[in-house]
Amino acid sequence: SRYREIKKGDIVQLNLSAKIDGYSPSIGLPVIMGKLEGERRELVQFCHDMHDWTEAQIKAGVVASDIAKNFYKKYVDAGYEKNYVYGPCHGTGMIEVEAPWMETSSNYVLQKNMTFQVDTFISGSTFGCRWEKGIAIKENGVESYTDYLEKHGLIELGF
């Protein structure tokens, strides 16, 4: 939060959270004021692609660290190792971010009906952005708590 006026070219990060039956899920996405170009567009698009990639990897029976290791490897392989901040998911619980985290050391097996926030962050030299949404693990994939992020890629507002 700032008092600075939003200008053309700014990336405004929207994160909305609400307590529902004692739990605190959230949804997050960047909104671009105008057209995003160059390196910033490449970073933001990569982050969005990694969000989709992560969701596609999750299903019952998968070891959490396998997803996290491959997530990090994709950052390294794409040349974005310095832009990596944290692993791809965290628990949905009583506070906005809580265990279990999905990191390279997370050696638990994903189980049907576990809930997570797919929380994909990237850091540029002058900005950061993230996509976040809640999911429930199913046998062959996930059930998303929102379809909003599937309907929208990069949101660029006319400015």
Side-chain angles (χ1 to χ4, degrees):
S1 298
R2 296 179 171 184
Y3 292 103
R4 184 178 67 78
E5 181 180 325
I6 295 172
K7 296 183 169 104
K8 184 176 182 178
D10 284 348
I11 298 172
V12 176
Q13 181 67 40
L14 299 180
N15 286 82
L16 308 168
S17 299
K19 271 218 174 180
I20 301 168
D21 295 328
Y23 290 91
S24 184
S26 66
I27 183 171
L29 67 156
V31 176
I32 295 94
M33 300 298 133
K35 185 82 171 152
L36 192 60
E37 297 176 346
E39 179 187 8
R40 292 187 333 142
R41 181 177 194 83
E42 292 170 13
L43 280 171
V44 171
Q45 185 63 56
F46 177 77
C47 184
H48 183 266
D49 293 347
M50 289 304 299
H51 186 80
D52 290 345
W53 176 90
T54 300
E55 183 178 351
Q57 307 310 302
I58 299 172
K59 65 181 178 180
V62 174
V63 177
S65 62
D66 290 345
I67 294 171
K69 288 173 186 173
N70 287 324
F71 180 83
Y72 178 70
K73 184 178 183 322
K74 290 186 98 40
Y75 272 72
V76 171
D77 291 349
Y80 295 131
E81 180 178 8
K82 68 180 184 195
N83 307 100
Y84 175 86
V85 180
Y86 53 73
C89 299
H90 60 78
T92 303
M94 305 304 271
I95 59 175
E96 207 251 303
V97 177
E98 74 174 46
W101 287 271
M102 203 176 288
E103 297 290 347
T104 57
S105 60
S106 302
N107 291 319
Y108 57 88
V109 176
L110 301 180
Q111 304 289 324
K112 184 177 176 185
N113 295 327
M114 289 176 90
T115 60
F116 283 90
Q117 292 291 121
V118 180
D119 182 357
T120 315
F121 188 87
I122 199 159
S123 178
S125 59
T126 61
F127 74 97
C129 74
R130 71 191 242 225
W131 271 267
E132 181 173 9
K133 71 175 183 180
I135 55 105
I137 297 175
K138 299 301 177 188
E139 290 296 327
N140 295 310
V142 301
E143 176 185 341
S144 178
Y145 294 151
T146 180
D147 64 355
Y148 186 81
L149 299 182
E150 283 78 23
K151 292 179 180 177
H152 302 281
L154 299 183
I155 297 175
E156 297 172 301
L157 300 179
F159 206 82

